[in-house]
Amino acid sequence: MDVAIKATGLRKSYGDFVAVDGVDFEIPKGVCFGFLGPNGAGKTTTMRMIYRASPVGDGSLEILGHEAAGGRNDRKIKQKIGVVPQEDNLDQELSVRENLEVFARFYGLDRKQAKARAVELLDFVRLSERADSKVLELSGGMKRRVLIARGLVGAPELVVLDEPTTGLDPQARINLWERMRDLKRKEATLILTTHYMDEAEQLCDSLVIMDKGKIVAQGRPRDLIRQHVSSHVVEIEIAAGRHANAGPSGESAAGAIAELSALAKRHEQHQDRLLLYVDNGEEVVTRAAQLLPDAETLLRRSTLEDVFLRITGRGLEE
Amino acid sequence: MRLPGDIDLTTSVSVWRRNLTEYSHTWMTNVLPNFFDPVLYLLGMGLGLGMFVGRGVGGLTYIEFIAPGLMAASAMQGASFESTYNVFVKMNFAKLYDAYLATPAQIQDIAFGELLWAVSRGLIYGCAFFAVLCGFTLFGHRVIVSPWAVLLPVAMAMTATMFALIGLTFTASIRNINYYGFYYTLWLTPLFLFSGIFFPLDNPQMAGGHAETIAWFTPLFHCVRLMRGLAQGPLDWTHGMSALWVLVVIAVLLVVVPRRMRKRMVH
Ligand SMILES: Nc1ncnc2c1ncn2[C@@H]1O[C@H](COP(=O)(O)OP(=O)(O)OP(=O)(O)O)[C@@H](O)[C@H]1O
Ligand SMILES: [Mg+2]
């Protein structure tokens, strides 16, 4: 299996502050690879080192066969990479089409090729009718689509997408997922950061979770769920019963909670909500109905979000 | 094509062309007004004040005397505006260079492209003003009289290049756009007033006879001297010295600017 990116002991500090603290990862070619993590975890810093906007602090970073540390291969690396940045930095003074044409020239396309590429990409992101609009006149979601088109003008082997769907409505988001799947079919390698766990679960073949500059978990979404949480979660709204004043007394409720918790692989209690991580969901739900008849009980499959909250440890308490 | 300093000329030209595209949308409001600036000085000072400077300067009427220097000033202003406010906005507010840097473009390509554009703009103003002066010459003013005047565009390009580089150096050094107040009021305006455009500096009563010596250390003085020599003659070794002065400053800043920009942009 060909490797697109291999990072070894990758670090980056700003003054005394360590933003990326010695991470190792390997991204095979042709996959969609995710970077998850709370705000400030170091995702964008890592992305910026990958797309060569930021020098490698320490360690080694091999990108598509070129060593990035030292910066000598920046042009070669950047020629093969497309970037969709977290921040909107479209050229506000130009039209949508002009934005794409200008950037195409940076990848060495001539005038005719640049025009053709712009037309093709505008069609790809479904913005052909807005080709001659000023960027200023577009909605937020349209701007994101232009940013994505712009990231593709160099026909990249590797596309880095830093929170590409933040701020999009559900339709636009799903539309974008389709575009990303199209890209994968064309055998591009995708690197994605996102705060939407469902998105990561849907799109990423493999991912890492970062926290405070370090990688705290990595694997395939399904495997991570299996390793770090149980297959199902039972959520019990204890307050519902108590407010109705029909449930068991505080004391026996505590007993019920203790008994139910003992049935689970792991449990968490956040104020009036009890979360039970279980593999035998039906059984626990039945028992809960007996012990806490008035509580609202929900059985659902575990998600990446459960893993995320478990691992980064800053769940509902904060 | 690669220039020294690992500048990719094709990329620089793309940056230049992007600016041309922007200006093709906005030239009426963006380019035209600045063109009138030196023309107004020429008319106001040259014709107005000139009526009171009866004996002229060194055998020239007052308007003939100030015209070549104003040509230098117009090249300076065109290049300065572009390399200050416009570059600052693109770099810090629009985050455009961050976007460029995510493509194969490198910081030195971008800096050189912006330099080319600033010089183009300086040349556009300078040449437009040159054309106005040719008109005055046709109507009997002895403004452009030397055959060496064909080299005036070269001198304008040198002037614009030097001031674009000075502007870029300043732009790469500040973090707040308000600092340009100082740049314009305490740097460009004094240069405009005291570089020999409006009065000769070799007067023994001026600054104890040292006015020209002091001015020698400032950039616009040399541009004014060059323009005046090329337009009206006679040329001598001092003009060669001034040309060299400008070229040396350009050479130094061509090294300084990409470094400063990199320090500012890449972290
Ligand atoms: N240029 C910089 N100078 C100083 N500190 C920086 C710089 N860029 C990032 N940081 C710091 O590095 C840390 C990691 O930032 P980064 O942008 O990588 O986080 P992130 O994981 O992308 O977060 P988010 O989810 O909010 O986008 C943050 O604490 C941030 O303040
Ligand atoms: Mg980020």
Side-chain angles (χ1 to χ4, degrees), chain A residues 11-26:
Chain A
R11 280 171 66 87
K12 177 87 194 178
S13 0
Y14 297 105
D16 289 339
F17 180 78
V18 184
V20 175
D21 193 3
V23 299
D24 303 287
F25 56 85
E26 193 171 299

Side-chain angles (χ1 to χ4, degrees), chain A residues 14 17 19 37-46 86 162-163 195, chain B residues 267:
Chain A
Y14 297 105
F17 180 78
N39 291 133
K43 304 180 296 294
T44 297
T45 307
T46 307
Q86 181 172 3
D162 198 349
E163 296 189 31
H195 289 297
Chain B
H267 38 71

Side-chain angles (χ1 to χ4, degrees), chain A residues 265-318:
Chain A
K265 275 171 78 178
R266 206 166 59 79
H267 70 278
E268 282 169 29
Q269 192 171 357
H270 306 285
Q271 286 152 358
D272 295 332
R273 247 155 59 89
L274 180 65
L275 297 185
L276 302 171
Y277 295 84
V278 297
D279 286 325
N280 47 346
E282 299 295 343
E283 197 182 307
V284 176
V285 168
T286 313
R287 189 73 189 118
Q290 291 162 358
L291 288 170
L292 298 166
D294 294 305
E296 270 178 38
T297 303
L298 172 77
L299 174 66
R300 61 169 174 81
R301 280 178 57 165
S302 298
T303 64
L304 205 51
E305 189 141 352
D306 298 308
V307 178
F308 184 88
L309 293 176
R310 166 103 201 264
I311 287 176
T312 58
R314 282 180 242 161
L316 303 160
E317 304 94 312
E318 263 185 24

